[in-house]
Amino acid sequence: LNNIHRMFFQIYSSVLDEVRLKTLTDVIEDVFPDVPWMGNSTSGNIVDSELGGEIVVSATLFQDSTTEFDLAQYDMEKMDVDDIAKSVLEETAKRPWVKGIEIFYTIPSTSTTRFCDALKDLNPNIQVFGGIVCSPDLMSPDSMVFSSKGGFCRSGILVAFYGGMNFYLTSIKISGWQPLGRTFRVTRASGSIVYELDGMPAYEVYHKYLNIANDENFFMNALEFPMFYEHNGTTIVRAPAECRFDGSVVMSSDIEVGSVVRLSYGEPNTIVDCIMNESRSIDQFYPEVIHIFSCAARKAFWSTREPTYEIYSLKKIAANSGFFSHGEFLRENGHLNQHNITLVMAGMREGE
């Protein structure tokens, strides 16, 4: 209790009831006055590699006196994303101790590319990770972030800053999906809308090769067959958010004309093996805690098993918590990218 000021609470909730959640946050503020708290809506919660309850509360207590933590929250109805990104840069500059930035982003009405690109001037040593928050209904745009800094917001961005002299962090992404068949070149696109692949309407690729219809089920059916493409020196997994009447496909982030893409598919054993192999870098980091952002499409993929089946191996590494997300963020090679159907993990510890 002597270090209570070095503590924060994190809330993951598949319940989007502000009254119910405020009852919880009021208790936190009453019992632990001045202790920061943050939270977000989810499509499901993760606690120690298992599916958690409707509302999960995680308490983190820092033991090292040099560790720093802070929050910032923004309302996208009051601020443009460019201005929000500029503020994140400014707030980071005020905190020279920052080593990691965690982002929680409500389901956007437009591409997240502008926000991601606007953070390119961050110190290259700062790691950035996070997710797009959502609800159990993947077809719904309902989502929220909330914190002791900004209250409840259904169109916002919540940012957590971590760092300090003896604080260490590592973050990675894992897909496990495998490329399927031939490549296609993006021949016409505008921002996040892909009109043509190899000169044909983008939808025709899904219809011709996967027999997916352009109907109300397109989003859910196409989730199992995301696109691979190279961007900013890394492989991005991107799922279509919508198919329009003209055969164009709306993605959650921009795709440039000339990009080469491939459809992909998930094979259970390959996915599990990939996670076990690639999570070794987290294991060798010796984290004390792991934050997990797993796409809700991965949860849907394991329909015949427990939703957290693929991450059971993380139990042996460290205590972990997280949620099933609508999209995932990770900074690689100095570029912040938004992913889909991807598993992003951040391992943290105090001390060498």
Side-chain angles (χ1 to χ4, degrees), residues 68-231:
E68 301 279 359
F69 173 83
D70 209 349
L71 293 171
Q73 184 172 313
Y74 305 93
D75 188 336
M76 287 188 282
E77 292 187 352
K78 298 178 180 178
M79 291 180 68
D80 183 90
V81 292
D82 294 320
D83 293 330
I84 293 175
K86 181 180 178 181
S87 178
V88 172
L89 291 173
E90 292 171 349
E91 294 301 314
T92 305
K94 293 176 186 177
R95 299 165 175 80
W97 46 263
V98 171
K99 292 182 178 177
I101 297 176
E102 189 171 33
I103 295 173
F104 303 87
Y105 199 125
T106 57
I107 293 178
S109 58
T110 59
S111 167
T112 61
T113 298
R114 279 172 52 204
F115 177 77
C116 291
D117 289 349
L119 294 182
K120 65 181 182 301
D121 292 330
L122 277 173
N123 182 315
N125 295 322
I126 294 176
Q127 299 190 47
V128 185
F129 52 93
I132 295 178
V133 311
C134 54
S135 72
D137 181 2
L138 294 185
M139 300 295 290
S140 170
D142 288 347
S143 56
M144 67 163 67
V145 292
F146 44 96
S147 72
S148 51
K149 274 289 180 75
F152 292 84
C153 180
R154 290 182 178 261
S155 180
I157 299 175
L158 175 62
V159 178
F161 301 96
Y162 298 86
M165 183 186 307
N166 297 317
F167 181 86
Y168 298 88
L169 184 149
T170 188
S171 53
I172 65 170
K173 75 174 193 300
I174 302 172
S175 167
W177 258 243
Q178 301 299 305
L180 176 69
R182 53 166 291 192
T183 61
F184 301 89
R185 186 173 295 276
V186 178
T187 47
R188 188 160 75 95
S190 176
S192 61
I193 302 175
V194 178
Y195 290 96
E196 294 180 358
L197 296 171
D198 283 358
M200 73 177 92
Y203 160 70
E204 289 298 326
V205 171
Y206 285 91
H207 180 64
K208 179 178 179 180
Y209 294 93
L210 300 172
N211 199 31
I212 294 177
N214 185 3
D215 56 20
E216 67 275 6
N217 298 315
F218 175 82
F219 171 72
M220 295 302 298
N221 290 334
L223 272 179
E224 291 190 36
F225 302 97
M227 288 185 182
F228 275 7
Y229 83 107
E230 297 299 316
H231 179 67

Side-chain angles (χ1 to χ4, degrees), residues 282-297:
I282 290 277
D283 190 9
Q284 293 168 358
F285 178 78
Y286 296 104
E288 293 174 293
V289 66
I290 301 172
H291 285 190
I292 299 172
F293 306 84
S294 181
C295 188

Side-chain angles (χ1 to χ4, degrees), residues 21 24 60 68 78 82 96 145 147 157 186 198 236 276-278 306 324 330:
L21 290 168
L24 168 60
T60 300
E68 301 279 359
K78 298 178 180 178
D82 294 320
V145 292
S147 72
I157 299 175
V186 178
D198 283 358
I236 303 289
M276 291 186 67
N277 291 332
E278 296 193 37
E306 284 296 311
F324 290 102
L330 186 67

Side-chain angles (χ1 to χ4, degrees), residues 248-268:
S248 61
V249 173
V250 181
M251 313 302 280
S252 56
S253 191
D254 294 359
I255 293 185
E256 302 85 358
V257 171
S259 298
V260 175
V261 303
R262 298 182 73 175
L263 295 175
S264 65
Y265 71 101
E267 196 283 315

